[in-house]
Amino acid sequence: MTYTLLHHTGCSTSRNGLALLQENGIEPEIRKYMNAGEALSVGELKDIAKKMGAASPREFLRDKDAKKFEIPEDLSDEKLYEAMVDNPRLIQRPIGIKGNKAVLGRPIEKLLEIK
């Protein structure tokens, strides 16, 4: 079963998460979701949330960027998914996905929970 890592090369935590996986013998398929050609859809984000057991996309919302982009705290989940698609900086990273499980790599050691 393939391990997929939602990765942003400009993020030190994401780079450290990738290095941790590789140090543990895991060579994940890298999805650079910030690139237009690898962008996530609303459906994919909902699937990730389900695999994480997340009740809301707010569980993997990057709070710092939500404030920067003035995302209202009362924005509906559906609108928040749409905002994440329009601006992937709002998605917390890294996220590891394997089979029917997904985990937010904060701290990065959590990425090893689904190896």
Side-chain angles (χ1 to χ4, degrees):
M1 197 172 305
T2 303
Y3 192 117
T4 301
L5 184 69
L6 299 184
H7 180 57
H8 175 43
T9 57
C11 172
S12 61
T13 303
S14 194
R15 290 190 308 269
N16 291 337
L18 174 58
L20 178 68
L21 290 173
Q22 291 170 330
E23 289 166 9
N24 283 274
I26 301 166
E27 282 299 329
E29 178 180 292
I30 304 295
R31 176 129 179 222
K32 296 178 183 175
Y33 68 95
M34 298 287 277
N35 296 346
E38 297 184 59
L40 296 162
S41 68
V42 168
E44 287 174 309
L45 287 170
K46 287 180 178 181
D47 187 54
I48 290 165
K50 181 180 176 183
K51 289 177 179 183
M52 291 174 84
S56 165
R58 291 196 179 275
E59 294 184 42
F60 55 99
L61 174 67
R62 191 168 160 82
D63 291 328
K64 182 169 87 173
D65 286 322
K67 288 178 183 149
K68 179 180 175 183
F69 294 107
E70 300 178 351
I71 301 296
E73 289 191 25
D74 62 347
L75 191 67
S76 72
D77 285 354
E78 193 62 34
K79 292 290 184 189
L80 184 53
Y81 281 122
E82 291 171 13
M84 289 172 150
V85 167
D86 292 341
N87 190 344
R89 292 194 62 82
L90 294 170
I91 303 167
Q92 190 65 269
R93 65 235 176 206
I95 295 176
I97 306 164
K98 186 173 181 186
N100 63 354
K101 301 267 185 201
V103 66
L104 175 61
R106 297 283 178 151
I108 59 172
E109 291 78 15
K110 287 187 160 258
L111 294 171
L112 297 174
E113 291 178 1
I114 61 168
K115 65 180 187 165

